[in-house]
């Protein structure tokens, strides 16, 4: 379940079994983005400016524990690689 802090009534539910891969992206002068790619190759991105590096790392470990491939294109923003 993905929640919006500004609008708490907006929820986006994505089943773990539908996720093909997750991508952590970093845009110039913007927040880090979580892009979810489903098994039917649809893509949805979620901005997450309030998450800290340890939260991204915990999310990466949790997704990999469910056998979801995680790609980090924000290598310069994170220091775990």
């Amino acid at each position: 379940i993905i929640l919006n802090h500004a609008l708490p009534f907006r929820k986006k539910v994505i089943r773990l079994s539908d996720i093909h891969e997750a991508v952590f992206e970093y845009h110039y002068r913007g927040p880090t983005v979580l892009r979810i790619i489903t098994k039917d190759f649809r893509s949805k991105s979620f901005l997450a400016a309030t998450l800290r590096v340890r939260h991204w790392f915990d999310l990466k470990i949790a997704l990999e524990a469910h056998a979801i491939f995680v790609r980090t294109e924000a290598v310069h923003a994170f220091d775990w690689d």
Side-chain angles (χ1 to χ4, degrees), residues 8-79:
F9 55 87
R10 297 184 84 188
K11 294 181 184 178
K12 181 70 179 173
V13 177
I14 301 173
R15 294 178 184 262
L16 289 174
S17 61
D18 293 340
I19 298 175
H20 180 262
E21 71 176 320
V23 182
F24 298 156
E25 298 176 351
Y26 177 76
H27 297 284
Y28 178 71
R29 291 193 181 194
T32 306
V33 177
L34 169 65
R35 180 174 304 278
I36 301 292
I37 302 171
T38 59
K39 290 187 178 177
D40 58 353
F41 295 104
R42 290 189 209 167
S43 177
K44 181 74 176 168
S45 61
F46 302 96
L47 301 174
T50 59
L51 290 181
R52 298 181 188 267
V53 173
R54 70 176 182 266
H55 297 133
W56 286 108
F57 186 68
D58 292 342
L59 178 61
K60 179 181 188 235
I61 291 172
L63 289 172
E64 288 176 343
H66 289 283
I68 297 172
F69 180 70
V70 179
R71 214 173 39 186
T72 57
E73 294 182 359
V75 174
H76 64 279
F78 304 122
D79 54 359

